[in-house]
Every structure is written in structure tokens, then in C-alpha cells.
Amino acid sequence: MKPITPAERAQNYIRYLIWLYFWLLLIEGALRKWVFPDLSNPLLVIRDPVALAIYFLSFRARVFPRNGWVFALAVMGFLTVFATFVRLWPYLPPLQIAAVTGYGVHANFFHLPLIFIIARVLTFEDVKRFGWWILILLIPMTLLMIAQFRAAPDALVNRTAGGEGEMLMSAMGKVRTAGPFSFVVGVVAYFALATGYLVWAVLDRGVYKNWLLLVAGVALLIGIAVSGSRSLVGACAVVIALLALVAFFRPDVVNRFGRVLLAAVVLGFIVTQTPIFREGANVMSTRFAEVAEATEQSIGQGLVTRVLSTFEDGFFVLGRAPLFGYGLGIGTNAGAKFLTGRSVFLLLEGEWPRIILESGPIIGVAYLAWRCGLVLWIGWIAIKSVKAGNLLPLLIFGSAFLPMISGQFGQPTILGFAVFASGLALAATKPTLDLVGVPPPALPAKIGGMKAVRGRSAYAERLHGTSAAQDQPNGSVDR
């Protein structure tokens, strides 16, 4: 038996830490609401020590990303921190500047390199195992959301972070249920990711047991109904809408849609007859109607306007922000608490205007371009994976690309899910593509006694070579 090298051992430890990162992402809100409400503020950064340990071990494992993405991120981070200290030095004590800037670094820069480490360390089986847990946890999460939906707004189950206050309201006296998270944004991110896994597992039969898909599907529909959140409906719809791209690039997959659609319609009809779904749907429809009446827009227009508002506000402040901004971290709630003692928005609430006002039009726009460029790169890789027959990266990407573009990274749950899901999307390409920095084994000049065909890719040789069916697994097709 070949001994494990120090680099391989470090990679195993990193894998365990990624799992810890995932579990802390799920329970962070519960800790802040119910277990340690007095430590609500320190728990905002509960995953930072885990990320720091991953970075430390990634150097030993030789998987720390040394690419242009991380280099550009480091340069922007250094320049923004330097500009913040220069800007705030005449007005604030050094420790206060360090506290505000430190949270800004946490929000904008610190966690993003994890995307590339997750992609390099996790195997496809790891990604699949995460999906199993995400689907199975939909069941208790939905039960908790039902309890929150039925409880009074001031009930213990509906406490917010810090153990005080109530959740945001939806309609008809019902709260926007947040499950175990601090805010409803956690449920939005989690259900979108679960939708991607569920759609993939339904289309790629045999990935998970049928009972899991059935129960998870019921939990997903009921959870959406009782959430009271328009964002949750939109996030899940975005993931499902990506099936149009799947149909465009892989028309052969369309043949599976009919059977799946019929099963979904039957299951949906049964679920819609349950009292809890009908009550939740009534509240949700009332919520949509109230917002449409208040904004004098149709439901569709309201959703589009909400998505585009952060971009419009970003362009609005572009010419009004100081050249080097007001200071990193000032626009986050935590940064405002360091300065004023209250969790408020000192700048505009949207992510794009926050970035530009904090960092200035030059570095701010560069940072936003970095995030948009990364989304385009991951999306391109996911589409290439679809062409090769692997749908999972694109469906996971569907839950991550909007938070990566405009999600409020000052809110740790949004940041955590954006980073985690983006890393999973890249790691999920491994059965079919070599696009995450792990080179495939070199192919011999002859495969199975036959010469390799000139011009074929490595994947095509493994797929069409005579030994492919015998020795080489073909990703999700084999399962």
C-alpha cells in the first residue's frame, strides 16, 4: 500500500474543514438567534478561522490558487485597505479603523480564494455527497419553517439574531420564515442550491434514491409556499430556467423532460391540495399583490426592477463617490456598528453602490468587474460541461451567479453560499472537464490496441476508444 504523502494528508484535512465550513454556514444563524444571542456579533465571523486553517493547509497541500484571479484580488484588497487608512486616519482612532476595515476585508476579499481551493480539493463524489445532505436537510428545515409560519411574529422560534426583535413580515400577519438562518436570505440561497441538486438528480436517474427525491421535492414546494419571500421564488425559478440552456446545448436531454415534467405536475398537484401549502400560497399571492399595488408594477416587472435596482444605484453613485471611497467596511451593518453602535446602512443598501462608495469608482468598479468576470468564467466552464454531458455544474451555478454578481457580501450567509456554491460548481466539472487546475493523466499513443485519432480531445479518446467502456468511467453516465 502506497504511503500517504504530507500533501495528500493536508488535502484530506482541507476536505474535512470544507465540511466544517458547510455545517457552520447552516447553523451560524441558529447560534446567533437561540444558543448564544449575546455573542451574535462575534459569530458573524465564525467561519473565518476555518477559512484561515484551509489557507494554511492549502500551502502544504500545494493547492493554494496562484492564478490571476487571486493575484488581482490581493492587489485590490491591499490598495483598498491602504486607501481606507489614509482616508479615515484624521477622523478615527487606529483600532476603530482597523475594526471597520477588517470586516470590510472579510466581506469583500477574504473568503473568495476558497472557491478555487474547493474546486481543486473536492472530488465529484464529494460534490454528490454534499447534495445528498442538502436534500435530506430540506425536510427538517421545512418543518422548522412551517413552525415559524404558524407561530406568532413575537414567538421564540421567530427571534432574530441577538435574540431580540422579530423576522421581517410577509403578508396577513405572517413572517418571512428564515429557518435556521439569521435572515430569509439564507433560506433563499439554500433552497436555490437544493433546487439545482434536485433537478439534476431527477434528470440523471440513479444518483439518489427515489424516496429522497420524492420527500425533498415535497419539502421544497411546501418550503417555498410558507417562506413568504418573493426572492425565494425567483431564485428557484432562475435555476429551473437554466434548463433552457441545457435543451439548447444538449437537445437529446429534452427527451427526459417529458417524463420528469409529468411526474412534477402530478407531485405538484398532490402537494397543492395540502392545507399548509394552500395557506402558504395564499399568503404568498397576497404578498405579491400588495407589492405590485404599492409599486404600481406587475409582479414580473417588480421582480425585474428589484434585481436591476442595485445596478442602477451603482451607476447613479459612480460620479458622486470620492476617488478612493469613504472607506472599506463602512457600508456594511457590522462596520456601521463599530462606528455608531447601531446596525444601520450608512451608505446605500445595494451591493454595487456600497462597493463603489466604499472603495471609489476606480477600485470599486475593478472589484465589481472581477466578480462579474469570475461569473462569466464559471458559467463558460459549466456550459462546456453540459456539452460534455454533465448537467450538475450549470444547475449549481444557477444558485450562485446572482449572489456572486450583486449579493450583499456584508451579510455573511450570502457570502458563504456564494463562495461555497461557486466552488461546488467548479468541482462538479471534474468528471468531464479539466478546467479546475487538476491535469488528467497522460494518454498513451495507443488506446486498447488502436491508434489515437488525431484531433480528438482527451475526453473524446476516453469516450470513443475501445478501452473506454471497459476501464474508464464516464462521469455521471456510469452511475
Side-chain angles (χ1 to χ4, degrees):
M1 181 177 179
K2 184 180 178 181
I4 299 178
T5 65
E8 292 172 336
R9 186 178 296 109
Q11 285 202 35
N12 288 334
Y13 290 146
I14 292 173
R15 191 172 288 110
Y16 298 145
L17 288 172
I18 292 172
W19 276 98
L20 179 58
Y21 189 94
F22 168 71
W23 287 111
L24 288 176
L25 181 59
L26 297 188
I27 68 171
E28 169 197 301
L31 295 176
R32 297 180 65 209
K33 292 191 295 186
W34 300 311
V35 183
F36 304 113
D38 293 337
L39 299 176
S40 176
N41 291 330
L43 288 172
L44 284 170
V45 294
I46 190 174
R47 285 174 281 109
D48 284 34
V50 178
L52 192 61
I54 290 175
Y55 292 147
F56 173 76
L57 289 171
S58 67
F59 284 102
R60 295 187 60 186
R62 301 174 185 173
V63 294
F64 187 84
R66 295 178 174 87
N67 54 37
W69 296 106
V70 175
F71 177 77
L73 194 69
V75 170
M76 288 185 291
F78 173 79
L79 292 177
T80 308
V81 169
F82 178 77
T84 299
F85 270 86
V86 171
R87 173 83 178 180
L88 299 180
W89 191 265
Y91 309 105
L92 297 173
L95 287 179
Q96 199 170 14
I97 299 175
V100 175
T101 307
Y103 193 81
V105 171
H106 153 87
N108 287 13
F109 304 104
F110 183 65
H111 287 253
L112 293 176
L114 285 174
I115 295 173
F116 306 98
I117 297 175
I118 291 172
R120 296 200 56 181
V121 171
L122 294 188
T123 65
F124 187 81
E125 286 302 315
D126 291 323
V127 178
K128 180 180 172 183
R129 196 171 298 113
F130 272 113
W132 188 91
W133 277 105
I134 288 169
L135 293 181
I136 200 71
L137 290 174
L138 268 177
I139 302 166
M141 189 173 297
T142 297
L143 292 175
L144 175 58
M145 292 170 65
I146 292 173
Q148 292 170 335
F149 177 79
R150 288 178 167 169
D154 59 351
L156 174 63
V157 74
N158 283 329
R159 291 287 176 86
T160 59
E164 299 177 356
E166 303 169 0
M167 294 184 190
L168 294 174
M169 300 303 295
S170 175
M172 301 174 65
K174 299 294 186 180
V175 300
R176 298 185 218 175
T177 58
F181 303 102
S182 301
F183 305 100
V184 70
V185 292
V187 169
V188 172
Y190 187 91
F191 271 61
L193 182 57
T195 299
Y197 270 110
L198 185 61
V199 171
W200 168 67
V202 170
L203 291 176
D204 198 349
R205 299 179 65 186
V207 174
Y208 304 122
K209 298 293 185 181
N210 288 334
W211 68 264
L212 175 59
L213 303 183
L214 177 63
V215 176
V218 172
L220 183 75
L221 292 174
I222 294 177
I224 291 173
V226 301
S227 69
S229 170
R230 296 181 300 152
S231 298
L232 179 54
V233 176
C236 295
V238 166
V239 175
I240 295 174
L242 289 180
L243 289 176
L245 282 178
V246 174
F248 178 79
F249 290 107
R250 289 299 301 266
D252 56 298
V253 178
V254 178
N255 297 330
R256 309 181 213 169
F257 285 5
R259 180 180 65 251
V260 172
L261 182 61
L262 177 61
V265 169
V266 172
L267 178 63
F269 176 78
I270 295 173
V271 173
T272 56
Q273 303 309 304
T274 60
I276 185 62
F277 181 91
R278 295 174 71 175
E279 185 181 2
N282 185 33
V283 173
M284 182 73 76
S285 61
T286 303
R287 166 73 178 157
F288 273 96
E290 289 177 351
V291 173
E293 182 179 356
T295 59
E296 298 182 352
Q297 293 178 324
S298 67
I299 293 175
Q301 287 175 325
L303 289 174
V304 173
T305 300
R306 186 174 185 179
V307 173
L308 295 180
S309 62
T310 186
F311 307 120
E312 294 175 355
D313 291 341
F315 287 114
F316 174 77
V317 303
L318 193 58
R320 295 167 173 80
L323 184 61
F324 297 107
Y326 290 108
L328 184 63
I330 287 180
T332 64
N333 281 347
K337 191 157 189 175
F338 285 126
L339 294 175
T340 67
R342 296 183 299 118
S343 294
V344 295
F345 289 106
L346 295 179
L347 306 176
L348 293 181
E349 183 176 354
E351 182 73 347
W352 278 37
R354 176 186 76 84
I355 295 297
I356 294 172
L357 289 172
E358 282 188 353
S359 303
I362 299 175
I363 301 177
V365 170
Y367 174 74
L368 292 172
W370 187 97
R371 283 169 60 168
C372 292
L374 183 65
V375 165
L376 291 174
W377 180 65
I378 297 176
W380 172 75
I381 292 173
I383 289 174
K384 293 199 71 172
S385 191
V386 168
K387 293 179 180 180
N390 182 8
L391 312 184
L392 182 58
L394 182 65
L395 294 171
I396 295 179
F397 169 75
S399 72
F401 78 92
L402 281 177
M404 278 300 303
I405 291 175
S406 60
Q408 294 173 306
F409 280 5
Q411 211 291 325
T413 305
I414 297 178
L415 171 64
F417 272 106
V419 167
F420 181 69
S422 297
L424 286 183
L426 284 174
T429 66
K430 286 183 177 178
T432 47
L433 298 174
D434 172 38
L435 292 167
V436 293
V438 181
L443 290 174
K446 294 185 178 182
I447 301 179
M450 297 180 63
K451 291 184 178 180
V453 178
R454 184 181 299 274
R456 275 185 180 172
S457 67
Y459 172 72
E461 286 293 355
R462 292 197 297 270
L463 181 65
H464 300 293
T466 56
S467 64
Q470 301 171 7
D471 304 319
Q472 178 65 43
N474 187 25
S476 59
V477 177
D478 270 357
R479 283 180 286 279

